[in-house]
Amino acid sequence: MGKEELGRCEGKSRILIVGGTGYMGRRFVRASLRLGHPTYVLFRPFAGLDIEKLQMLFSFRNSGAHLVKASFDDKESLVAAVKQVDVVISAMAGNHIRSHAIPEQLKLVEAIKEAGNIKRFLPSEFGIDPDKMMDAIEPGNVTFIDKREVRRAIEEAGIPYTYVSANCFAGYFVGGLAQLGRLTPPTDRVFLYDDGNVKAIWVDEDDVATYTINSAVDPRTANKTVYIRPPANILSQREVIELWEKKCGNVLEKICMSREEFLNLMKGQDLAQQIGMTHFYHMFYDGCLYNFEIGEEAREASELYPHVTYTTVDAYLDHYLTIA
Amino acid sequence: MGKEELGRCEGKSRILIVGGTGYMGRRFVRASLRLGHPTYVLFRPFAGLDIEKLQMLFSFRNSGAHLVKASFDDKESLVAAVKQVDVVISAMAGNHIRSHAIPEQLKLVEAIKEAGNIKRFLPSEFGIDPDKMMDAIEPGNVTFIDKREVRRAIEEAGIPYTYVSANCFAGYFVGGLAQLGRLTPPTDRVFLYDDGNVKAIWVDEDDVATYTINSAVDPRTANKTVYIRPPANILSQREVIELWEKKCGNVLEKICMSREEFLNLMKGQDLAQQIGMTHFYHMFYDGCLYNFEIGEEAREASELYPHVTYTTVDAYLDHYLTIA
């Protein structure tokens, strides 16, 4: 990666990744191995029926990870898995367009409570902070309701936790210039949410993983939320578009879309699309990622781990130069 | 990989992989890069809408491959792509359980014919030799009919070709001991096709890729079929089961299934399942992979490339030891 990789943790912790074959989970596995932690990956029965997942698990083992068999339908197996490690990071799917397994984590919370040995649990979050979203609109509020339910269960069980709020994943948001349904830059015209001037925060998924592993073993982040706000990546949609225009030498036609137009567009979409669009709405009209101060009770990742050289949005956009 | 990787080819060829993000395609890309060929990967428009494919394509580029944009709906773009290289390898899907794009290759044949510069084309094959399957039963015969149609189009166009017959992919067949719907070994009982004594041939997919890239640039394989028959991997189903039993120290109950029982089991399955089961039938009852001599008109890969250290079935089974 060409990045300075050493964490600030003194020793190394045994880290179990749950959901290790998913989009973020595989990055947590690789980052944990890269940072030198004894890394364990939960091997659930269905993974044995999916050749891509199975072969990915084998590749993790070839890279030094331990595979731990357990099923969410067998609590004792989960407890036994959890007892082998110090830290548990869940990357279970929380994206309705792919799948949504957030509530299933309550079984993991129960197992961690029963095992009694876990020094830190990171539930699957890595997006918008659900506790800031008490007034989110339907139907996308389901994501926040479910994540809050998991948070409260963790807190009631007295399990030490860290909640990582990672903002916009670059792969999903930067390449498509935050256009709905696009992962690569448009060549002709681009839609702006309102005037495109609301600040958002865009983070390379590999950096999310590096910051997450660092924070999972850091005494300073115990029972705290960690926001990932790399300073160079706090940018409005318009600023991201301008970075791209400068890079590719092509000026795009800009079409501003009002809140009302956006909400009208949601009607008639399927539920998963509507949920995703609700999140776009709160991020790009309300500015929910950056309309609050972090305060004393939480921490910011790039401040905690200044040795991590994160990928800037400007550099990230280079990926798209030869394919646009 | 710990394998002797050097090909026998004198110079290096520019190789274009079509279907490079698929199960075999990604292995061809990696093998081509590993063997030092200038490697090109077709970037089709839909890949830009699938974040896994898009990020895999970026990772290929980071490893040194060139991404070439083209669409199967735009012949000129395909011709332009083909004109940049010497060799074209298609890994377009030919598996009804995942997807079946074999007939779409006729557009690629047209483009290669028009471009006129291609020194070798390898259509998507890598399984049972379709020209040996004139009497295959329905509905699985569709695979062979479609692959033969592509072969005949290539030959009529006068395009130099190599057809690679790779037999049973280890990931799909070895781990599950050739059980239907299993990718990992059963722990209690195992079904044998007849008495399980028909010889089949089992090949690690990464070895398929290494042999394929070698044969794609080899003058000896021009206009020939290459069969991959690694001597240690010519084994009956029963022999594979016995290797596993010895390795894991557990004897499985064996249930023999007659041809009639197997054909009855096919009834009521969906079409994709029936197609797959037809192929099992021909491999494990008829022995279609090994019931013929290669003869003078074709070649065998492990003889052509003795420097390639292939993975034996016995070694491949080690993957499954800690998860069984």
Side-chain angles (χ1 to χ4, degrees), chain A residues 274-286:
Chain A
Q274 285 190 31
I275 290 171
M277 289 178 77
T278 309
H279 301 169
F280 268 74
Y281 181 81
H282 290 299
M283 290 189 289
F284 294 110
Y285 289 99
D286 295 341

Side-chain angles (χ1 to χ4, degrees), chain A residues 23 26-27 43 48-52 54-55 58 61 69 98 171-172 181 183-184 319-320 322-324, chain B residues 23 26-27 43 48-52 54-55 58 61 67 69 98 171-172 181 183 319-320 322-324:
Chain A
Y23 184 71
R26 70 189 73 161
R27 290 172 163 87
F43 186 130
L49 301 172
D50 178 327
I51 201 156
E52 309 281 358
L54 184 65
Q55 294 186 342
F58 288 159
R61 194 182 47 197
K69 283 186 93 169
R98 291 162 70 114
Y172 278 101
L183 296 171
T184 55
H319 287 311
Y320 303 88
T322 57
I323 58 121
Chain B
Y23 184 72
R26 70 189 75 161
R27 290 172 163 86
F43 186 131
L49 301 173
D50 178 327
I51 200 156
E52 309 281 359
L54 184 65
Q55 295 186 342
F58 288 159
R61 194 183 45 197
L67 305 183
K69 282 185 96 171
R98 290 163 70 114
Y172 278 101
L183 297 171
H319 287 311
Y320 303 89
T322 58
I323 57 122

